[in-house]
Amino acid sequence: MIVVMQKGATEHEINYVVERVQSLGLRPHVIHGTERTVIAAIGDKRDEHRASLESCPGVAEVIPILAPYKVASLEVKPERTVVRVGPFIAGNSHIGVIAGPCSVETEEQTLSTARAVKAAGATALRGGAFKPRTSPYSFQGLKEEGLKILAAAREETGLPIVTEVITPADVPVVAKYADILQIGARNMQNYRLLEEAGCAGKPVLLKRGPAATAEELLLAAEYILNTGNHNVILCERGIRTFESHTRYTLSLATVVWLHQRTHLPVIVDPSHGTGHSALVPQMAAAAVAAGADGLIIEVHPRPEMALSDGFQSLTFEQFETTMELCRKVAEALGRVLGAGVPATCQ
Ligand code: PEP
Ligand code: MN
């Protein structure tokens, strides 16, 4: 249920409703909107308590939440959530751009990539240190050593770090270095991991599972939101279909569908979504046209030498031209891509 407070309801009245919600065995989520405050009351036996909440002082109305996902829904919060970490802004007029290698391999590889993507207008650096690989014989990542390299790149460039955490036990070490915790597609429904990551106090980037519906993605996001962490970014990264000319099938309609149901920012990963560097620039631009609030793109100084996902990684030059293309689309829609127009293009 959503308890909608009257305009001008006092702090005291809001706190009273929060206490009532708790005493009824429900979990309160307070959302302060520009117009009014609403309190989402989440739990199993919601509807029984409707009348009791409706009669609390300062309450305008109590409405059932129809969507199966609650805190993520537009019903609870009609205003868009904007996730900001330093120069990275995703939501409303801003399109955040996260770029970098699939895996952190060496300091030189990561630092040179960080410099190049920053110069092209990216606002965050990606790089996997804990890698969830399909084969146990593939490169598994540099782990904490990789996190230290990412931290050095942040130190030099000022770009916040986005990196994946693959087990609940690794959350503390990853959160020590990362600015945004990435939950990978394979872990979208690892509910204990979602909760641990939510509790780390950093924004969480949640990727859609390759076999998950968009509704399941929103329900997974709900696990993070229920920890009280409202900084959640959803990511469409392609799903498994019978089609084989692309690594996955990148569902851009899902971006629009999600925006019609959730206030959370939605970003797109055209690298994993296509699996071919030649397809990335146009699909990145198409994602911007579909209203994506951000992009996450794999970039490598020498894709042919990459220890993971080289076939879908862009060179520095390709990333720069991709940014130019996406910027034109963003400008046509009245949005700002990444850091705006870099000095080299003015
Ligand atoms: C990645 O971002 O490198 C990655 C492993 O992505 P996904 O979880 O979408 O496969
Ligand atoms: Mn990858």
Side-chain angles (χ1 to χ4, degrees), residues 102 126 131 272 298 309 312:
C102 177
R126 63 150 291 147
K131 293 303 299 177
H272 293 85
E298 289 186 337
D309 289 354
Q312 66 192 30

